[in-house]
PDB file of all heavy atoms in Angstrom:
ATOM      1  N   LEU A 967     -87.319  46.516 -14.600  1.00 98.00           N
ATOM      2  CA  LEU A 967     -85.919  46.875 -14.624  1.00 98.00           C
ATOM      3  C   LEU A 967     -85.060  45.703 -14.118  1.00 98.00           C
ATOM      4  O   LEU A 967     -84.017  45.449 -14.656  1.00 98.00           O
ATOM      5  CB  LEU A 967     -85.678  48.088 -13.739  1.00 98.00           C
ATOM      6  CG  LEU A 967     -86.138  49.417 -14.322  1.00 98.00           C
ATOM      7  CD1 LEU A 967     -86.043  50.542 -13.233  1.00 98.00           C
ATOM      8  CD2 LEU A 967     -85.273  49.840 -15.512  1.00 98.00           C
ATOM      9  N   ASN A 968     -85.528  45.098 -13.066  1.00 98.00           N
ATOM     10  CA  ASN A 968     -84.801  43.955 -12.489  1.00 98.00           C
ATOM     11  C   ASN A 968     -84.629  42.861 -13.547  1.00 98.00           C
ATOM     12  O   ASN A 968     -83.548  42.291 -13.764  1.00 98.00           O
ATOM     13  CB  ASN A 968     -85.524  43.460 -11.293  1.00 98.00           C
ATOM     14  CG  ASN A 968     -84.665  42.560 -10.369  1.00 98.00           C
ATOM     15  OD1 ASN A 968     -85.042  42.292  -9.236  1.00 98.00           O
ATOM     16  ND2 ASN A 968     -83.541  42.117 -10.868  1.00 98.00           N
ATOM     17  N   VAL A 969     -85.737  42.567 -14.288  1.00 98.00           N
ATOM     18  CA  VAL A 969     -85.681  41.509 -15.264  1.00 98.00           C
ATOM     19  C   VAL A 969     -84.743  41.940 -16.384  1.00 98.00           C
ATOM     20  O   VAL A 969     -83.869  41.177 -16.865  1.00 98.00           O
ATOM     21  CB  VAL A 969     -87.070  41.230 -15.832  1.00 98.00           C
ATOM     22  CG1 VAL A 969     -87.014  40.299 -17.049  1.00 98.00           C
ATOM     23  CG2 VAL A 969     -87.925  40.627 -14.782  1.00 98.00           C
ATOM     24  N   ARG A 970     -84.870  43.156 -16.886  1.00 98.00           N
ATOM     25  CA  ARG A 970     -84.013  43.638 -17.995  1.00 98.00           C
ATOM     26  C   ARG A 970     -82.527  43.685 -17.595  1.00 98.00           C
ATOM     27  O   ARG A 970     -81.687  43.395 -18.421  1.00 98.00           O
ATOM     28  CB  ARG A 970     -84.447  45.031 -18.476  1.00 98.00           C
ATOM     29  CG  ARG A 970     -85.913  45.123 -18.918  1.00 98.00           C
ATOM     30  CD  ARG A 970     -86.207  44.255 -20.143  1.00 98.00           C
ATOM     31  NE  ARG A 970     -87.621  44.347 -20.517  1.00 98.00           N
ATOM     32  CZ  ARG A 970     -88.411  43.306 -20.739  1.00 98.00           C
ATOM     33  NH1 ARG A 970     -87.959  42.053 -20.639  1.00 98.00           N
ATOM     34  NH2 ARG A 970     -89.678  43.458 -21.046  1.00 98.00           N
ATOM     35  N   LEU A 971     -82.287  44.041 -16.364  1.00 98.00           N
ATOM     36  CA  LEU A 971     -80.908  44.086 -15.931  1.00 98.00           C
ATOM     37  C   LEU A 971     -80.285  42.675 -15.977  1.00 98.00           C
ATOM     38  O   LEU A 971     -79.158  42.484 -16.507  1.00 98.00           O
ATOM     39  CB  LEU A 971     -80.767  44.654 -14.489  1.00 98.00           C
ATOM     40  CG  LEU A 971     -79.409  44.639 -13.874  1.00 98.00           C
ATOM     41  CD1 LEU A 971     -78.419  45.580 -14.703  1.00 98.00           C
ATOM     42  CD2 LEU A 971     -79.391  45.107 -12.454  1.00 98.00           C
ATOM     43  N   LEU A 972     -81.045  41.711 -15.525  1.00 97.00           N
ATOM     44  CA  LEU A 972     -80.495  40.345 -15.536  1.00 97.00           C
ATOM     45  C   LEU A 972     -80.381  39.863 -17.018  1.00 97.00           C
ATOM     46  O   LEU A 972     -79.476  39.100 -17.316  1.00 97.00           O
ATOM     47  CB  LEU A 972     -81.353  39.394 -14.680  1.00 97.00           C
ATOM     48  CG  LEU A 972     -81.309  39.688 -13.186  1.00 97.00           C
ATOM     49  CD1 LEU A 972     -81.802  38.528 -12.427  1.00 97.00           C
ATOM     50  CD2 LEU A 972     -79.932  40.079 -12.700  1.00 97.00           C
ATOM     51  N   GLU A 973     -81.225  40.319 -17.830  1.00 96.00           N
ATOM     52  CA  GLU A 973     -81.116  39.942 -19.225  1.00 96.00           C
ATOM     53  C   GLU A 973     -79.866  40.547 -19.804  1.00 96.00           C
ATOM     54  O   GLU A 973     -79.126  39.940 -20.591  1.00 96.00           O
ATOM     55  CB  GLU A 973     -82.335  40.436 -20.038  1.00 96.00           C
ATOM     56  CG  GLU A 973     -83.591  39.596 -19.845  1.00 96.00           C
ATOM     57  CD  GLU A 973     -84.856  40.212 -20.497  1.00 96.00           C
ATOM     58  OE1 GLU A 973     -84.729  41.288 -21.106  1.00 96.00           O
ATOM     59  OE2 GLU A 973     -85.915  39.577 -20.355  1.00 96.00           O
ATOM     60  N   ALA A 974     -79.590  41.810 -19.423  1.00 96.00           N
ATOM     61  CA  ALA A 974     -78.374  42.415 -19.863  1.00 96.00           C
ATOM     62  C   ALA A 974     -77.125  41.686 -19.354  1.00 96.00           C
ATOM     63  O   ALA A 974     -76.058  41.712 -20.016  1.00 96.00           O
ATOM     64  CB  ALA A 974     -78.303  43.906 -19.402  1.00 96.00           C
ATOM     65  N   PHE A 975     -77.248  41.037 -18.224  1.00 96.00           N
ATOM     66  CA  PHE A 975     -76.141  40.219 -17.731  1.00 96.00           C
ATOM     67  C   PHE A 975     -76.085  38.834 -18.382  1.00 96.00           C
ATOM     68  O   PHE A 975     -75.236  38.007 -18.032  1.00 96.00           O
ATOM     69  CB  PHE A 975     -76.313  40.013 -16.184  1.00 96.00           C
ATOM     70  CG  PHE A 975     -76.083  41.235 -15.409  1.00 96.00           C
ATOM     71  CD1 PHE A 975     -76.735  41.352 -14.126  1.00 96.00           C
ATOM     72  CD2 PHE A 975     -75.276  42.246 -15.804  1.00 96.00           C
ATOM     73  CE1 PHE A 975     -76.496  42.469 -13.315  1.00 96.00           C
ATOM     74  CE2 PHE A 975     -75.051  43.391 -15.027  1.00 96.00           C
ATOM     75  CZ  PHE A 975     -75.665  43.502 -13.749  1.00 96.00           C
ATOM     76  N   SER A 976     -77.026  38.518 -19.223  1.00 94.00           N
ATOM     77  CA  SER A 976     -77.166  37.154 -19.789  1.00 94.00           C
ATOM     78  C   SER A 976     -77.395  36.136 -18.767  1.00 94.00           C
ATOM     79  O   SER A 976     -76.906  34.988 -18.832  1.00 94.00           O
ATOM     80  CB  SER A 976     -75.909  36.804 -20.594  1.00 94.00           C
ATOM     81  OG  SER A 976     -75.691  37.690 -21.636  1.00 94.00           O
ATOM     82  N   VAL A 977     -78.189  36.461 -17.756  1.00 94.00           N
ATOM     83  CA  VAL A 977     -78.545  35.537 -16.731  1.00 94.00           C
ATOM     84  C   VAL A 977     -79.819  34.767 -17.143  1.00 94.00           C
ATOM     85  O   VAL A 977     -80.797  35.383 -17.605  1.00 94.00           O
ATOM     86  CB  VAL A 977     -78.776  36.218 -15.386  1.00 94.00           C
ATOM     87  CG1 VAL A 977     -79.468  35.280 -14.369  1.00 94.00           C
ATOM     88  CG2 VAL A 977     -77.486  36.749 -14.837  1.00 94.00           C
ATOM     89  N   ASN A 978     -79.802  33.472 -16.964  1.00 87.00           N
ATOM     90  CA  ASN A 978     -80.927  32.669 -17.310  1.00 87.00           C
ATOM     91  C   ASN A 978     -81.911  32.605 -16.131  1.00 87.00           C
ATOM     92  O   ASN A 978     -81.699  32.015 -15.140  1.00 87.00           O
ATOM     93  CB  ASN A 978     -80.427  31.211 -17.636  1.00 87.00           C
ATOM     94  CG  ASN A 978     -81.567  30.296 -17.964  1.00 87.00           C
ATOM     95  OD1 ASN A 978     -82.610  30.791 -18.490  1.00 87.00           O
ATOM     96  ND2 ASN A 978     -81.379  29.071 -17.670  1.00 87.00           N
ATOM     97  N   ILE A 979     -83.071  33.295 -16.297  1.00 92.00           N
ATOM     98  CA  ILE A 979     -84.058  33.366 -15.262  1.00 92.00           C
ATOM     99  C   ILE A 979     -85.178  32.367 -15.560  1.00 92.00           C
ATOM    100  O   ILE A 979     -85.769  32.409 -16.670  1.00 92.00           O
ATOM    101  CB  ILE A 979     -84.679  34.782 -15.125  1.00 92.00           C
ATOM    102  CG1 ILE A 979     -83.609  35.722 -14.632  1.00 92.00           C
ATOM    103  CG2 ILE A 979     -85.888  34.779 -14.228  1.00 92.00           C
ATOM    104  CD1 ILE A 979     -83.088  35.399 -13.239  1.00 92.00           C
ATOM    105  N   ASP A 980     -85.472  31.498 -14.638  1.00 94.00           N
ATOM    106  CA  ASP A 980     -86.464  30.487 -14.855  1.00 94.00           C
ATOM    107  C   ASP A 980     -87.888  30.966 -14.419  1.00 94.00           C
ATOM    108  O   ASP A 980     -88.869  30.511 -14.980  1.00 94.00           O
ATOM    109  CB  ASP A 980     -86.132  29.206 -14.084  1.00 94.00           C
ATOM    110  CG  ASP A 980     -84.880  28.592 -14.631  1.00 94.00           C
ATOM    111  OD1 ASP A 980     -84.779  28.463 -15.881  1.00 94.00           O
ATOM    112  OD2 ASP A 980     -83.954  28.216 -13.849  1.00 94.00           O
ATOM    113  N   ALA A 981     -87.945  31.859 -13.477  1.00 95.00           N
ATOM    114  CA  ALA A 981     -89.226  32.296 -12.996  1.00 95.00           C
ATOM    115  C   ALA A 981     -89.175  33.678 -12.376  1.00 95.00           C
ATOM    116  O   ALA A 981     -88.235  34.009 -11.674  1.00 95.00           O
ATOM    117  CB  ALA A 981     -89.816  31.295 -12.029  1.00 95.00           C
ATOM    118  N   VAL A 982     -90.188  34.474 -12.641  1.00 97.00           N
ATOM    119  CA  VAL A 982     -90.373  35.727 -11.968  1.00 97.00           C
ATOM    120  C   VAL A 982     -91.620  35.564 -11.092  1.00 97.00           C
ATOM    121  O   VAL A 982     -92.708  35.323 -11.562  1.00 97.00           O
ATOM    122  CB  VAL A 982     -90.614  36.899 -12.969  1.00 97.00           C
ATOM    123  CG1 VAL A 982     -90.898  38.177 -12.182  1.00 97.00           C
ATOM    124  CG2 VAL A 982     -89.468  37.033 -13.913  1.00 97.00           C
ATOM    125  N   GLU A 983     -91.389  35.550  -9.767  1.00 97.00           N
ATOM    126  CA  GLU A 983     -92.520  35.316  -8.871  1.00 97.00           C
ATOM    127  C   GLU A 983     -92.858  36.625  -8.167  1.00 97.00           C
ATOM    128  O   GLU A 983     -92.013  37.395  -7.712  1.00 97.00           O
ATOM    129  CB  GLU A 983     -92.112  34.261  -7.819  1.00 97.00           C
ATOM    130  CG  GLU A 983     -91.800  32.914  -8.440  1.00 97.00           C
ATOM    131  CD  GLU A 983     -91.568  31.874  -7.398  1.00 97.00           C
ATOM    132  OE1 GLU A 983     -91.505  32.167  -6.173  1.00 97.00           O
ATOM    133  OE2 GLU A 983     -91.429  30.661  -7.807  1.00 97.00           O
ATOM    134  N   VAL A 984     -94.168  36.889  -8.054  1.00 97.00           N
ATOM    135  CA  VAL A 984     -94.603  38.098  -7.398  1.00 97.00           C
ATOM    136  C   VAL A 984     -95.708  37.749  -6.396  1.00 97.00           C
ATOM    137  O   VAL A 984     -96.370  36.707  -6.507  1.00 97.00           O
ATOM    138  CB  VAL A 984     -95.199  39.139  -8.390  1.00 97.00           C
ATOM    139  CG1 VAL A 984     -94.127  39.534  -9.420  1.00 97.00           C
ATOM    140  CG2 VAL A 984     -96.396  38.606  -9.072  1.00 97.00           C
TER     141      VAL A 984
END
Side-chain angles (χ1 to χ4, degrees):
Chain A
L967 285 170
N968 197 166
V969 170
R970 300 298 178 231
L971 177 62
L972 294 198
E973 284 172 0
F975 289 154
S976 299
V977 167
N978 178 30
I979 292 300
D980 295 313
V982 177
E983 298 187 352
V984 301

